[in-house]
Amino acid sequence: MQHSIPSAELGPRGQAMADAVSSCVHCGFCLPACPTYQVLGEEMDSPRGRIFLMKDVLEDRLPLEQALPYVDRCLGCLGCEPACPSGVQYGDLITSFRAHSERKRSRTFFDRLMRQVVLQTLPYTARFRWAARLGKLASFTSPLLPHRLSNMLAMLPAQLPPSEQLPEVTPAIGPRRARVALLAGCAQQVLAPQINRAAIELLSRNGVEVVVPQAQGCCGALAAHTGADRLAMEAARKNLRAFPGDINAVVTTAAGCGSGMHEYPLWLKGTQEEAQAHALASMTKDVCVFLAELGPVGFAPLADPLRVAYHDACHLAHGQGVREQPRQLLQMIGNLELVEVPDREFCCGSAGTYNLEQPEVATELGERKAAAIVSTEAQAVATGNIGCMVQIENHLADAGRCLPVKHTIEWLADSCLDGHGSE
Amino acid sequence: METIETTEQLTHFVRNQAQVRVRAGGTKPATSGNANVSLVNLSGVIEYESSEFTITVRAGTPLAEIENLLAEQRQYLPFDPPLARAGATIGGTVATGLSGSGRFRYGGVRDFLLGVRFVTGEGQLVQLGSKVVKNAAGFDFPKLMVGGLGRFGIMTELTLKVFPAPEATRTVVLENDNQSDALETMLQLAASQLDLTCLDLDDTNRIRARVAGSDSALLDRVARLQQFSNIANKVIEGEEELALWQAVGEFQWVPAGYRLVKVALAPEQIPPLISDLTPGALRICAGGHLGWIAWPQERPGEELDRVLAQHCCPGLAITGDWHSPLIGEHQGSAFARRLTLALDPESKFTNPQPVV
Amino acid sequence: MHEVSKTSIVSVCKLGSRTPRPSGLHTFEPPSHFWVDAVEIPAASASTPSDLSRLAPLVDQLRQRFPTDRLLTQPAQLAPYESDGLTAFRVHPGGVVLVQDASEVVTVVRLCHEHGVPFVARGSGTSLSGGSLPVAGGLVIALNRMNRVLDYQPRSQTIVVEPGVVNQQVSRHVAQDGLYYAPDPSSGPVCTIGGNVAFNSGGAHCLKYGMTANHVLGIKAVFPDGELVELGGRSHETAGADLAGMFVGSEGLFGIALEIVLRLLPLPERFHTVLAAYDSLEKAGDAVASVVASGLLPGAMEIMDKLAIEASEQAVHAGYPTGAAAALIVELEGPEEEVAAEIPRLDAIMQASGAYELRVAKSAADRMNIWKGRKGAFSAVGRLSPDYIVQDGVVPRSRLGEALAEVQRLSARYGLRVANVFHAGDGNLHPLILYDGRIEGQLHQAELLAGEILRMCIRLGGSITGEHGVGVEKLEFLPEMYGEAEMELMNRVRQTIDPQELANRGKLLLSASDVGKQSHAPHPLESAGVISRA
């Protein structure tokens, strides 16, 4: 598509934005893959519609404020990318555009406050724990709070698990086959510390030494996807420094974090660290990908047959192209019958902080996802992202189905044999 | 009646007449009554490219001539136009929109007409559609000509899509105990993957299912068809089989003293319609979508008209005397009226007054 | 830069202020009676056009009937509706109304008629001929939310749908009963039945199964003056003139289809899909001729050339033979035994055809992947070039070789790359002319080249469009395919149905007032200021 975006004036990411617009041919193949278009049925809320809007804003033909409601409604699920025959790098465009527009947009006081609360707490384990406790305390006032805030509180679990410190080094059990560094993540570590614990245990039983660099921080994805590019760059730089070089891979357990680390080269485009960012990104692997490549030692069968639905987290399937490895691994567990969810590549509506910012669409998508899972008659759910887990569990509960929803790695760890063939 | 030889004569004729009603082979008298011009001499194949799967012919060309020519190249008209033996022409077939039992597999005459040259009510010769098998340019006038009874224009030339003829055919005749069983069997066969060519049901609850295709696969396919329905059946082949379908296509089953009417059906309309049709007879073709009614000469046509209208079925009278060939319920008069305004502003083609 | 004017809800371009005109665009005549976006227009010519003055009272009426979230009038809401699948043209509509049922469509159409405001129906906006390009100051009636199945009769093999139902959803809906809907345009996962009906969409299986018109049995529609009409019915057979057939492909000029009855077919039991690689296009073309001469009737025969193979392989990774000069897909379908009997015949032909690689789809997934590569090919070409024009000419199948050689010659002469994707079974060529709109004059060259290809199709006895329709794009070529008498007749039909030319104005037929103003460049509607180039 032709455009007259002044890419040179738009900073280091101007070219990425211009390239994405340029490769869009407006064919509409993205429409059926876009959850917001499917829910809202209007062109502004479709990938190609947003591309048009962003193009017009960048070309200075449309005031930013008018385009923002629709750009903001994008989940960032990247479902459009694999659907796009002409290869539009939509993620590069929307992330860069959000960063670009953040500096120009005006937000209400409440908006700014919410944003700061989210950006300054969620990515920091200690702060988040503290805020979550406080939030739960305050929840009796929730009818008085603005909808978005009460929505946020509603998502918090009734009780947080106790704080956990991950060991800096966990040796391999048996002969060492590899050495990896684990990204601990932030919100996940507070809400579900058992996931990383499971990952470490699983990896070590598979002969992998696991390092958890203590200097690491949040991956920065949350900041990047909400337009806080400076925070994102800071986070990326911190992790560039924190992760050692003498490892076989950086392993991530949350889809969003893994996808975020793969974006480091984009965030640090045109900076001194760009090359380093490429190097780190190329080493970063979802734990399932790493394990599938390594070849797991084996799994014990479940005691009883169980139908388990696998949900594709967007930032695994679309963000990192990881679809088959988690399925392959789960299918190695005897008695576990893996079932596919209809419209499996559709976002569940969690999408980072989307739940907080666009509760109506998020709820609709959550309900659809829950209904799709229920239709499979699954008895449990496996997925690779903490956000999806919370969203799906809540919506299944609302639909009257309290199914266990566990991270793929938890299913695997629960059945894992060690290098000596014992559980 | 004037017999014209050239399109120029025809345009001249249309310009100079107040009413124009056409006939050619005269095999469907109910649709060509009061004709004042004959196209039988506007005949002959203009272009036949077997490698293109297309043939262009003059409107008055007899079906038999076309079918013989196609057969030389092992091709055929898959919509199986009826009354070829009786002398029907391609123009009359298209104008009445008649397809035979073979329409079941690949569709009717509407699905095989690609292009048409016709004379408008103002005596203007136009050529619309195209001579290639795929075309989306401009309004689809060829469709309008199908079943249009010459009310929107007088066709002079037609281009049709043709298909390679199957190597071999066999027919399985299935005997059913009663009507509801027969209908059920027919509908199951229609929705099956057996890929039948014809699927007819007569008023003695007998289904005729025709299989066509590669010689080497035919016996297995017939066997599967027999297993599928699992009722008393007989396989017919060779000359006998060809004769059977020829008799169907020539309506030899219609008893003397009966008039023939075509009716477009949806299968769910069949059971209630049948009970209201007596003493007429209904033959069902094309898996329940095409009906042929034999209506006693002595019964008033209005009675059938009324029955069909009650069941929301559009009908077309083929033989015998009728007030109008279009009986039953026909939709779209608002569209037809507007089209007539454009194509025949003086209503030369629709004027019901008899012409001397 | 947009402002909302006080007297009208239409966003108005601050004229002459910005928008550096990209090079390579045509020089425009100042528009006489339409406000046009994205074009530099002298401010004096943007006086209140008549359509705009009619629009405001219409919108006032609509506001009483539609909530604000279904009546779009803000610039940011309208901008995404400026184009469909043909981005070379953009027109800023006066408003968009998101209708939810047939009665709302009728209400809107009647109001448009009453106020004399032109309207354009739009489904998913995938037209490649600009078929759903808005009219400046007119209304877009968005039908995509009207996506219900109204009735489904598996035993009769019919389904009644609203116009916003997506093509592929029909087949998905009926798959449980072993049925499918045959027309399969490449945009099948996206495009709507309403759009398919308006443009008589095709697909890869037209030689054997025909186009959309052959699968539409009945239509309930609203004429541009608000009159309701029912055409055809639920029978696969017709009696009386095939009026439903006449409505299909009328490109929206006859009004809007509200309910559509479709014919369903039993899903073939077995598919046998072969992908063959050739070192020349001619060999692939000869293979098609041999298949046809053999008496086989494959469901589909598709050819892609080197450029198209490369683009599609990058997009889909279907295992296409990159480096091959041509890839041919042939698909047999039918009952198990019949296909089994046909396979050796096809094999012998393919072996003798000089294919250097033959691949047979081993599974349903493998077959889907081969088709996904083919069907994503147009858009995939977006990877090779920032801009391209898709053409849609038809030539008699036996003249495909000649046509392709001519396309190659033209490509060389114009110095523009042309990728070729075509439905070889029915002679439907899709040359994709690659150009870069930022390079001065390339768009114009590409359009000239496209025009020469269309004229070649006419010369060889074919058609200027096999399945995309005339739309805005080929408006000036229709009178070259048909004669004066035929054009006059079509115009007259349109006049009897829509004398005000409110329904999808600017598509298929020039406005009565524009007839006679035709020229080859710029586009006649462009000269009239009705449309603009992005």
Side-chain angles (χ1 to χ4, degrees):
Chain A
M1 178 157 66
Q2 284 188 55
H3 63 81
S4 53
I5 297 171
S7 50
E9 297 165 24
L10 294 171
R13 296 205 214 158
Q15 198 52 48
M17 292 193 279
D19 287 348
V21 170
S22 179
S23 53
C24 174
V25 300
H26 214 249
C27 64
F29 275 52
C30 52
L31 301 184
C34 176
T36 56
Y37 181 78
Q38 290 305 313
V39 169
L40 299 164
E42 51 190 25
E43 195 70 30
M44 308 82 79
D45 282 303
S46 73
R48 69 170 181 185
R50 293 189 179 105
I51 291 172
F52 247 38
L53 290 173
M54 290 187 269
K55 163 179 147 23
D56 280 5
V57 170
L58 294 172
E59 288 175 341
D60 209 8
R61 288 151 51 101
L62 185 73
L64 172 67
E65 293 302 324
Q66 295 203 12
L68 281 174
Y70 309 106
V71 176
D72 285 350
R73 265 211 294 256
C74 172
L75 292 147
C77 71
L78 305 183
C80 50
E81 281 200 4
C84 176
S86 52
V88 174
Q89 301 288 306
Y90 179 84
D92 289 5
L93 173 62
I94 189 110
T95 304
S96 306
F97 184 86
R98 282 177 167 164
H100 167 79
S101 63
E102 194 53 41
R103 285 186 279 280
K104 306 192 165 189
R105 73 189 294 174
S106 59
R107 290 182 180 273
T108 62
F109 171 74
F110 178 70
D111 230 17
R112 284 202 304 275
L113 181 70
M114 278 288 291
R115 212 176 132 73
Q116 284 311 311
V117 167
V118 168
L119 285 173
Q120 295 301 329
T121 52
L122 266 179
Y124 304 94
T125 325
R127 290 185 209 169
F128 181 45
R129 289 190 67 78
W130 175 82
R133 290 221 181 89
L134 197 70
K136 269 296 151 189
L137 272 179
S139 62
F140 67 91
T141 59
S142 70
L144 306 171
L145 293 171
H147 184 50
R148 276 165 55 183
L149 200 58
S150 58
N151 209 57
M152 180 178 178
L153 296 177
M155 282 186 55
L156 290 170
Q159 190 138 39
L160 287 183
S163 154
E164 240 177 77
Q165 187 71 36
L166 295 172
E168 191 165 355
V169 180
T170 306
I173 296 176
R176 193 176 95 172
R177 298 164 74 196
R179 176 175 142 88
V180 301
L182 178 78
L183 179 83
C186 37
Q188 172 183 291
Q189 191 54 23
V190 174
L191 295 170
Q194 76 276 11
I195 295 174
N196 280 332
R197 203 164 57 222
I200 291 171
E201 189 190 326
L202 181 67
L203 288 167
S204 70
R205 278 173 176 251
N206 275 281
V208 181
E209 181 179 313
V210 184
V211 184
V212 181
Q214 298 299 299
Q216 66 172 295
C218 163
C219 70
L222 185 72
H225 296 154
T226 48
D229 62 332
R230 290 209 181 83
L231 278 178
M233 286 164 82
E234 252 172 56
R237 288 196 175 107
K238 187 174 181 189
N239 283 335
L240 285 183
R241 287 190 300 271
F243 280 89
D246 58 339
I247 46 170
N248 299 89
V250 173
V251 166
T252 59
T253 52
C257 304
S259 178
M261 289 186 77
H262 282 283
E263 283 182 27
Y264 281 5
L266 176 73
W267 303 353
L268 295 171
K269 209 176 187 68
T271 68
Q272 288 176 339
E273 294 97 339
E274 193 178 337
Q276 219 188 325
H278 271 289
L280 185 65
S282 65
M283 282 183 83
T284 303
K285 283 174 183 167
D286 181 76
V287 61
C288 288
V289 176
F290 178 79
L291 200 60
E293 284 174 359
L294 183 75
V297 283
F299 299 98
L302 300 178
D304 297 300
L306 192 72
R307 274 172 81 83
V308 177
Y310 178 74
H311 163 69
D312 281 289
C314 294
H315 282 260
L316 263 189
H318 312 315
Q320 302 176 63
V322 176
R323 296 177 180 83
E324 295 318 311
Q325 296 91 334
R327 290 180 167 83
Q328 283 165 11
L329 293 171
L330 287 168
Q331 279 171 323
M332 292 169 81
I333 302 175
N335 268 344
L336 187 153
E337 184 198 351
L338 197 68
V339 292
E340 291 296 339
V341 181
D343 295 319
R344 68 182 218 189
E345 305 233 328
F346 240 57
C347 181
C348 65
S350 165
T353 55
Y354 196 83
N355 248 320
L356 313 180
E357 286 153 10
Q358 306 283 347
E360 289 85 7
V361 177
T363 301
E364 167 78 29
L365 290 171
E367 285 169 0
R368 288 187 186 197
K369 185 58 76 181
I373 291 171
V374 168
S375 78
T376 65
E377 293 174 6
Q379 298 161 290
V381 180
T383 187
N385 197 44
I386 178 71
C388 307
M389 288 167 62
V390 173
Q391 171 86 344
I392 289 174
E393 200 167 359
N394 286 343
H395 283 280
L396 280 172
D398 288 350
R401 304 289 177 104
C402 293
L403 307 183
V405 179
K406 294 202 282 184
H407 195 288
T408 310
I409 224 67
E410 292 181 76
W411 289 103
L412 297 174
D414 287 352
S415 297
C416 183
L417 306 171
D418 65 23
H420 309 291
S422 60
E423 266 182 77
Chain B
M1 168 116 46
E2 185 156 332
T3 301
I4 60 101
E5 315 273 335
T6 65
T7 49
E8 291 71 29
Q9 285 173 11
L10 181 63
T11 53
H12 182 79
F13 181 84
V14 171
R15 281 183 197 146
N16 292 296
Q17 295 288 322
Q19 290 98 33
V20 182
R21 303 303 298 268
V22 184
R23 61 163 276 164
T27 57
K28 299 171 275 284
T31 64
S32 59
N34 300 328
N36 59 349
V37 58
S38 168
L39 298 192
V40 279
N41 285 355
L42 198 66
S43 171
V45 174
I46 294 169
E47 206 178 335
Y48 172 38
E49 290 285 346
S50 60
S51 64
E52 292 297 335
F53 289 0
T54 58
I55 187 165
T56 300
V57 296
R58 291 192 181 85
T61 312
L63 289 172
E65 184 182 330
I66 298 169
E67 287 180 339
N68 289 339
L69 184 69
L70 293 177
E72 286 172 19
Q73 303 296 324
R74 306 183 61 84
Q75 293 187 335
Y76 77 131
L77 295 171
F79 60 93
D80 197 10
L83 297 167
R85 292 265 154 156
T89 63
I90 187 68
T93 301
V94 171
T96 50
L98 289 200
S99 308
S101 297
R103 71 125 31 245
F104 177 67
R105 176 62 183 98
Y106 293 111
V109 54
R110 75 185 294 249
D111 302 306
F112 287 85
L113 183 65
L114 302 172
V116 66
R117 186 184 280 238
F118 65 93
V119 178
T120 68
E122 291 176 302
Q124 183 79 252
L125 186 67
V126 292
Q127 182 160 19
L128 285 144
S130 76
K131 292 189 174 182
V132 281
V133 294
K134 195 172 182 184
N135 170 38
F139 299 142
D140 202 346
F141 287 94
K143 294 278 184 307
L144 187 63
M145 294 296 131
V146 175
L149 299 172
R151 290 167 181 230
F152 301 104
I154 310 295
M155 287 175 281
T156 62
E157 241 178 73
L158 306 91
T159 300
L160 295 132
K161 178 165 86 168
V162 301
F163 273 173
E167 279 180 2
T169 58
R170 290 270 200 298
T171 295
V172 178
V173 181
L174 303 154
E175 308 284 353
N176 295 276
D177 294 335
N178 58 56
Q179 193 191 84
S180 66
D181 282 1
L183 277 171
E184 182 59 35
T185 307
M186 180 186 71
L187 291 179
Q188 282 182 11
L189 285 169
S192 75
Q193 295 179 315
L194 296 168
D195 204 26
L196 302 174
T197 297
C198 305
L199 181 59
D200 283 14
L201 169 63
D202 69 16
D203 52 357
T204 63
N205 303 322
R206 185 178 290 145
I207 291 173
R208 295 181 181 83
R210 191 176 205 190
V211 183
S214 300
D215 204 7
S216 58
L218 211 63
L219 286 179
D220 289 341
R221 290 178 63 197
V222 166
R224 243 176 90 192
L225 169 56
Q226 290 172 296
Q227 279 163 19
F228 182 92
S229 48
N230 198 24
I231 50 176
N233 65 74
K234 189 169 82 172
V235 180
I236 299 177
E237 55 183 280
E239 289 300 319
E240 187 189 353
E241 201 247 1
L242 295 179
L244 182 155
W245 289 107
Q246 208 164 74
V248 169
E250 300 297 321
F251 303 107
Q252 287 173 10
W253 59 273
V254 178
Y258 279 70
R259 293 173 277 175
L260 179 66
V261 170
K262 171 185 126 165
V263 56
L265 293 167
E268 62 268 21
Q269 294 172 312
I270 297 172
L273 180 65
I274 286 180
S275 61
D276 284 353
L277 266 186
T278 7
L282 177 68
R283 278 217 169 196
I284 296 157
C285 298
H289 289 269
L290 166 59
W292 300 104
I293 297 168
W295 189 247
Q297 204 78 263
E298 67 278 6
R299 302 286 288 213
E302 291 74 17
E303 196 184 320
L304 181 61
D305 190 6
R306 211 163 38 241
V307 170
L308 293 182
Q310 271 164 14
H311 291 270
C312 302
C313 293
L316 176 76
I318 310 292
T319 61
D321 285 334
W322 298 83
H323 175 67
S324 155
L326 293 174
I327 62 171
E329 186 183 273
H330 289 267
Q331 303 277 11
S333 59
F335 193 26
R337 185 169 31 82
R338 295 179 193 225
L339 291 167
T340 296
L341 272 178
L343 287 153
D344 178 25
E346 292 173 49
S347 304
K348 289 182 179 183
F349 303 145
T350 46
N351 200 319
Q353 294 306 311
V355 180
V356 182
Chain C
M1 304 285 258
H2 293 263
E3 296 177 348
V4 178
S5 90
K6 291 194 180 72
T7 51
S8 140
I9 55 90
V10 177
S11 61
V12 175
C13 200
K14 194 176 274 174
L15 298 160
S17 60
R18 226 203 91 87
T19 324
R21 194 165 76 212
S23 55
L25 296 190
H26 300 308
T27 324
F28 299 101
E29 296 288 326
S32 51
H33 48 277
F34 290 109
W35 170 80
V36 175
D37 186 23
V39 189
E40 213 175 329
I41 307 159
S45 67
S47 55
T48 318
S50 55
D51 278 357
L52 290 192
S53 62
R54 295 192 190 114
L55 182 66
L58 168 69
V59 170
D60 286 343
Q61 294 272 311
L62 290 171
R63 278 196 205 292
Q64 295 169 20
R65 291 168 171 87
F66 291 91
T68 46
D69 62 345
R70 294 206 286 124
L71 179 60
L72 312 179
T73 54
Q74 299 301 311
Q77 297 175 317
L78 301 180
Y81 288 91
E82 287 175 1
S83 278
D84 50 23
L86 179 70
T87 51
F89 300 106
R90 283 182 76 166
V91 174
H92 202 70
V96 176
V97 57
L98 297 158
V99 290
Q100 288 181 340
D101 60 43
S103 69
E104 289 188 353
V105 180
V106 176
T107 303
V108 175
V109 167
R110 285 182 180 162
L111 283 171
C112 282
H113 181 251
E114 200 177 296
H115 289 85
V117 172
F119 61 86
V120 175
R122 176 185 164 114
S124 293
T126 56
S127 171
L128 292 169
S129 61
S132 52
L133 187 75
V135 175
L139 206 62
V140 170
I141 303 177
L143 301 165
N144 58 303
R145 291 184 181 190
M146 280 177 65
N147 58 1
R148 280 159 297 205
V149 169
L150 301 174
D151 189 27
Y152 167 43
Q153 299 286 343
R155 287 158 66 83
S156 299
Q157 298 173 28
T158 57
I159 189 167
V160 186
V161 298
E162 289 187 321
V165 168
V166 167
N167 172 293
Q168 232 170 52
Q169 291 296 334
V170 178
S171 288
R172 271 182 75 166
H173 191 90
V174 304
Q176 61 191 13
D177 297 303
L179 300 172
Y180 80 116
Y181 174 63
D184 64 336
S186 294
S187 56
V190 193
C191 64
T192 61
I193 294 296
N196 292 175
V197 166
F199 284 81
N200 199 6
S201 305
H205 296 79
C206 294
L207 175 65
K208 192 166 180 178
Y209 293 104
M211 303 166 57
T212 297
N214 305 104
H215 300 269
V216 171
L217 306 171
I219 293 172
K220 184 172 170 185
V222 57
F223 277 142
D225 57 10
E227 182 173 2
L228 284 167
V229 65
E230 282 188 51
L231 311 169
R234 289 169 179 240
S235 174
H236 291 193
E237 179 65 29
T238 55
D242 185 3
L243 297 170
M246 177 70 178
F247 189 94
V248 178
S250 54
E251 305 203 358
L253 268 56
F254 294 164
I256 300 178
L258 305 169
E259 291 177 16
I260 301 133
V261 189
L262 301 173
R263 170 167 75 133
L264 303 170
L265 299 176
L267 200 63
E269 187 172 40
R270 178 169 177 195
F271 292 97
H272 176 77
T273 312
V274 181
L275 178 64
Y278 294 89
D279 57 17
S280 80
L281 262 177
E282 288 68 28
K283 284 184 188 165
D286 291 347
V288 170
S290 307
V291 173
V292 166
S294 75
L296 288 171
L297 183 60
M301 284 185 278
E302 304 280 310
I303 294 181
M304 292 164 72
D305 75 358
K306 196 173 171 38
L307 270 179
I309 295 168
E310 268 169 29
S312 144
E313 189 54 23
Q314 275 182 37
V316 176
H317 314 294
Y320 279 22
T322 45
L328 167 65
I329 302 169
V330 182
E331 184 166 278
L332 300 173
E333 27 124 280
E336 189 67 47
E337 304 86 349
E338 179 63 28
V339 173
E342 289 177 0
I343 288 172
R345 288 167 66 191
L346 180 65
D347 270 354
I349 297 165
M350 299 301 272
Q351 295 292 351
S353 69
Y356 71 78
E357 190 186 308
L358 282 172
R359 186 180 131 202
V360 177
K362 285 179 226 48
S363 63
D366 199 12
R367 169 179 178 253
M368 290 315 292
N369 220 24
I370 289 177
W371 277 111
K372 197 174 167 199
R374 163 61 190 85
K375 296 197 168 191
F378 288 0
S379 310
V381 167
R383 291 168 186 262
L384 304 181
S385 168
D387 303 287
Y388 62 84
I389 296 176
V390 189
Q391 270 311 345
D392 176 38
V394 185
V395 296
R397 198 190 308 102
S398 58
R399 306 190 74 170
L400 265 179
E402 200 179 325
L404 288 170
E406 175 71 5
V407 170
Q408 280 174 347
R409 203 181 59 73
L410 288 167
S411 164
R413 178 146 69 82
Y414 281 85
L416 293 174
R417 291 183 297 165
V418 178
N420 282 290
V421 178
F422 47 100
H423 305 301
D426 39 37
N428 189 185
L429 307 168
H430 291 304
L432 294 115
I433 301 155
L434 280 51
Y435 69 97
D436 185 341
R438 287 164 299 192
I439 298 172
E440 177 101 30
Q442 269 213 356
L443 168 63
H444 184 57
Q445 288 296 305
E447 288 187 321
L448 289 178
L449 169 52
E452 291 213 36
I453 292 173
L454 291 183
R455 290 201 180 89
M456 169 197 75
C457 293
I458 297 171
R459 208 166 53 240
L460 295 176
S463 170
I464 59 169
T465 171
E467 53 188 1
H468 299 170
V470 175
V472 174
E473 191 214 7
K474 292 178 279 284
L475 202 53
E476 58 182 312
F477 293 95
L478 195 66
E480 296 193 27
M481 178 168 162
Y482 295 112
E484 253 174 59
E486 287 79 8
M487 291 306 299
E488 201 212 312
L489 186 64
M490 284 194 254
N491 278 305
R492 210 194 287 176
V493 167
R494 187 227 196 139
Q495 287 301 314
T496 64
I497 288 163
D498 183 17
Q500 293 189 75
E501 298 179 356
L502 298 179
N504 218 11
R505 179 187 291 172
K507 323 294 154 58
L508 183 62
L509 297 173
L510 280 169
S511 281
S513 57
D514 287 321
V515 175
K517 281 199 215 159
Q518 298 155 31
S519 64
H520 295 315
H523 192 283
L525 285 182
E526 218 171 288
S527 307
V530 179
I531 55 175
S532 67
R533 307 291 176 124

